[in-house]
Amino acid sequence: MTEPVPSFDTEIAEDEHPDVCVIGAGIAGLSVALALVREGVDVLVLDQGPIGGGQTARTTAHLASALDDYFSSLEKRFGKHGAKLCYESHAAAIDEIEANARTFGIDCDFRRVDGYLFAASDDARAVLEKELDASKRVGIEVEELARAPLPFDTGPCLRFGNQAEFHPLKYLRGIAQAVRAGGGRIHTGAHVTGVKSGTPVEITLQSGRVLRANTLVDATQMAITSRFNMPLREAAYRTYVSAFEIEPGYVPHALYWDTFEPYHYIRVAPGDDGGEVLLVGGEDHRVGQGDPEVHFPRLEAWSRKMFPRLGPAVAHWSGQVQEPSDGMAYIGRLLGHPNVFVVTGDSGNGITHGTVAGLMLPALIKHQPHPWRAIYAPHRSRFRGIDQFAREAIKSNGPYVDWMRGGDVDSLDDIRPGHGATIRKGLHVIAAYKDDQGQCHLMNARCPHFHGVVRWNEVEKTWDCPVHGSRFDCTGRVLNGPSSVDLQEAPADIESPTEIPEPVLGDDAYQLKPV
């Protein structure tokens, strides 16, 4: 599944002032950029890493219009017509990916396949019945079967037609080349630390340079341009994936997922030398509130139990999912900021949601109507998913008790080389990482976004914030928003108590600041 992708490290021109600046060179950012350059818009794309280096590289690339948030739930939240728009927008996104692959000659292993939803237990079969009825009402091709075509007896399942699979990085490389060929500029190695709303929008880079653009699209997945509003409307989850060698034909090419909570998702992908690999995902949990040392082995154990002819594991990885309370992404103009647009809340369907953004935003930027606008509006009512919103709020606020607890260890001597832990010194909590040479890297454990205490991720060697999902590498460099800046260095005098600032709740101020 690995695929080299180019970096674009050319110097940004001194007089750079694009019509639209897109932050993020993943599936959402490049889909938006391609749609805009095809309409003759002057576009600059910025990313701190290589293209697709964020969550696009970590997806299992299920191209599904049969949404895993269930049409029976979406119908309750958005009505019959709204649920139909949810389906139609994702079906259009799959069509768009297929058309782009054909138009630009992108060899990305695109293939139309069926999708199968099967019940995890006898009690869950009622879920299938409700989903069958709701799916028929929205117009998706669906039928009930006695079992899915897997090596174990799944029991009754639903088969959804006209789903798809592809290689996301091969596709992304192709559309990046199309953006460049259309006159767009892509600059990697450019880390954005702040945005100031206005006319024009001002974009501050880590180098201190300030760029200006008429319009900004925040396609960073976690909406770094919204400190309060967007992070409070979604929850950050980690999801785990294991890849296993399999004999060609052992599992038919299709999309598979079950009704477990959290659910498993499965598909086959081409392997090396004409072989195949089985991708199995699941074990989702809130960022910083699980243990990868438990979740990876549990996922592999489940996989080997259900697929006894699995070969060796060839890869393990995790990804980040932003879950909106009502199941649909936030794509559109950021409330109170007329020239700033966001794409966030992928809900586990980031590839199609990112492509939906490319289909929508060119019209919204030009103040034109779009039939999907209300479904994806960032300022839509919170009450559609108020029960889920309340549950996630509890999970977000609970970790603040970490400020009252002791550290993971009492002394730096207790930390082995290559590991990290928190240490309490007075009112301070220090995030300490000891590298392989024994040198300690000490950082303030307070997340710059909403002041949660970061937690050490032993498997991935990262600091994860359990409040709103910001993640940092072992030395404090930001990897995932909503924080756009690194962890601060530990105070020089860590014995002296200082006031811990409290987050200020409310809507975003007119001037967007580094978060």
Side-chain angles (χ1 to χ4, degrees):
M1 290 291 286
T2 58
E3 180 71 17
V5 293
S7 293
F8 300 90
D9 291 321
T10 55
E11 291 293 326
I12 302 177
E14 288 296 325
D15 59 349
E16 186 70 77
H17 187 134
D19 291 334
V20 179
C21 177
V22 178
I23 308 175
I27 187 71
L30 289 180
S31 295
V32 171
L34 178 60
L36 289 169
V37 299
R38 295 179 78 177
E39 294 190 4
V41 178
D42 179 45
V43 178
L44 171 69
V45 181
L46 303 176
D47 200 297
Q48 67 175 357
I51 65 169
Q55 299 313 306
T56 302
R58 295 174 172 270
T59 179
T60 56
H62 287 231
L63 299 180
S65 57
L67 300 177
D68 52 23
D69 287 289
Y70 296 153
F71 291 116
S72 53
S73 296
L74 295 173
E75 193 173 39
K76 289 181 181 178
R77 295 167 179 169
F78 295 96
K80 178 181 175 181
H81 178 67
K84 187 175 179 65
L85 293 179
C86 294
Y87 155 64
E88 291 176 346
S89 60
H90 285 265
I94 299 173
D95 291 344
E96 179 73 1
I97 291 170
E98 184 177 29
N100 285 339
R102 182 172 55 249
T103 299
F104 299 107
I106 305 171
D107 181 9
C108 59
D109 305 325
F110 182 92
R111 178 191 291 200
R112 291 283 180 171
V113 297
D114 290 331
Y116 295 90
L117 170 64
F118 58 95
S121 66
D122 290 341
D123 294 340
R125 293 184 180 182
V127 175
L128 296 188
E129 294 300 324
K130 290 173 59 179
E131 192 61 9
L132 177 64
D133 293 341
S135 298
K136 289 180 177 179
R137 285 192 293 272
V138 303
I140 191 170
E141 178 187 335
V142 61
E143 65 175 329
E144 187 173 16
L145 300 178
R147 60 171 289 174
L150 288 171
F152 57 92
D153 186 3
T154 64
C157 72
L158 301 184
R159 184 193 69 82
F160 298 93
N162 223 20
Q163 310 300 290
E165 63 183 32
F166 78 148
H167 194 302
L169 292 185
K170 289 181 180 179
Y171 176 75
L172 207 64
R173 181 177 62 186
I175 64 171
Q177 292 168 344
V179 170
R180 289 287 298 272
R185 280 96 60 214
I186 301 173
H187 187 82
T188 54
H191 178 48
V192 175
T193 58
V195 171
K196 182 179 179 182
S197 181
T199 306
V201 181
E202 295 184 356
I203 304 106
T204 302
L205 304 182
Q206 193 170 44
S207 64
R209 183 175 176 185
V210 177
L211 303 177
R212 293 171 176 81
N214 296 338
T215 300
L216 179 94
V217 176
D218 178 353
T220 60
Q221 190 203 22
M222 291 84 176
I224 64 170
T225 49
S226 176
R227 180 162 189 172
F228 303 117
N229 195 10
M230 289 293 96
L232 291 175
R233 296 174 68 103
E234 58 189 22
Y237 277 77
R238 294 306 287 177
T239 187
Y240 298 86
V241 181
S242 293
F244 306 91
E245 290 182 356
I246 58 171
E247 304 162 8
Y250 176 45
V251 178
H253 277 257
L255 311 183
Y256 306 92
W257 64 105
D258 61 29
T259 60
F260 274 110
E261 184 59 43
Y263 70 92
H264 300 95
Y265 48 98
I266 305 156
R267 83 169 181 93
V268 179
D272 297 329
D273 302 322
E276 291 184 334
V277 295
L278 187 70
L279 307 179
V280 184
E283 292 291 320
D284 299 15
H285 64 77
R286 284 290 297 266
V287 172
Q289 300 185 33
D291 184 355
E293 291 185 287
V294 171
H295 296 293
F296 275 121
R298 186 185 291 162
L299 182 62
E300 180 165 358
W302 184 88
S303 302
R304 294 195 178 280
K305 176 184 177 183
M306 308 309 289
F307 300 92
R309 289 164 53 190
L310 288 183
V314 295
H316 302 282
W317 70 89
S318 72
Q320 189 129 325
V321 175
Q322 296 296 115
E323 285 289 355
S325 57
D326 60 14
M328 299 307 291
Y330 302 108
I331 304 171
R333 198 180 310 272
L334 188 62
L335 184 64
H337 307 285
N339 299 323
V340 177
F341 295 79
V342 296
V343 185
T344 186
D346 56 83
S347 191
N349 294 286
I351 297 296
T352 44
H353 268 139
T355 307
V356 166
L359 295 171
M360 286 181 58
L361 287 186
L364 301 187
I365 289 171
K366 292 184 289 186
H367 301 276
Q368 296 174 348
H370 195 282
W372 309 334
R373 179 176 180 172
I375 291 294
Y376 292 104
H379 59 276
R380 66 182 183 264
S381 172
R382 287 180 169 90
F383 291 104
R384 287 194 178 106
I386 191 64
D387 52 343
Q388 184 67 19
F389 179 86
R391 286 193 292 269
E392 295 295 354
I394 293 171
K395 293 180 182 179
S396 295
N397 290 324
Y400 282 115
V401 300
D402 287 356
W403 282 112
M404 309 300 294
R405 295 174 177 165
D408 299 328
V409 297
D410 296 325
S411 166
L412 295 178
D413 295 336
D414 297 329
I415 304 175
R416 293 177 291 132
H419 299 268
T422 58
I423 300 175
R424 176 170 288 281
K425 296 295 183 180
L427 291 181
H428 294 287
V429 181
I430 307 303
Y433 170 71
K434 185 178 291 186
D435 62 28
D436 291 336
Q437 289 71 45
Q439 180 180 353
C440 288
H441 303 264
L442 304 181
M443 297 145 285
N444 194 326
R446 184 182 67 216
C447 176
H449 173 243
F450 241 34
H451 308 314
V453 178
V454 296
R455 297 175 180 176
W456 176 247
N457 180 330
E458 178 60 36
V459 172
E460 298 178 285
K461 308 299 182 186
T462 58
W463 296 102
D464 301 347
C465 180
V467 177
H468 289 121
S470 296
R471 300 179 72 240
F472 309 84
D473 73 9
C474 57
T475 60
R477 183 177 68 90
V478 66
L479 300 173
N480 294 92
S483 177
S484 65
V485 296
D486 302 340
L487 292 178
Q488 297 177 344
E489 293 184 2
D493 182 3
I494 58 177
E495 296 292 348
S496 300
T498 59
E499 181 182 357
I500 302 171
E502 295 293 333
V504 179
L505 300 177
D507 292 332
D508 298 31
Y510 179 73
Q511 177 173 318
L512 282 66
K513 300 179 180 179
V515 294

